Amino acid sequence: IGPAGHLLAAGCPHGSLHALADRFWWEILESGSVVPGGVPGEVHLTDLDSRAEPVIRARAGFRAALSEGPCPCGRPFPVVTEIAFPNSD
């Protein structure tokens, strides 16, 4: 679950977690630059559905990595290979 309670990713029958890239454009950044696939970084999201109040490159508040390769299920969405949320203590 991401900004404003939106679903950002969903599981598939192969056990992968797919970024729902048809609704949110995921960018993985480190020090303001996009990192290569498979490298973890800070997640920034652009909301592709909101026309009235667009959210562009907003910090999601967690870190993740997206795979470079496809999932065996055949879905076209990137696979989230790592995910880390900040400690809430």
Side-chain angles (χ1 to χ4, degrees), residues 47-54:
D47 186 345
L48 301 175
D49 285 337
S50 179
R51 306 270 190 274
E53 292 184 38

Side-chain angles (χ1 to χ4, degrees), residues 32-51:
S33 297
V34 176
V35 299
V39 176
E42 191 175 83
V43 177
H44 291 247
L45 301 167
T46 296
D47 186 345
L48 301 175
D49 285 337
S50 179
R51 306 270 190 274

Side-chain angles (χ1 to χ4, degrees), residues 4 9-11 15 25 38 53 57 59 67 71-72 78 84 86:
W25 180 256
E53 292 184 38
R57 222 178 209 190
R59 280 186 165 155
S67 74
C71 180

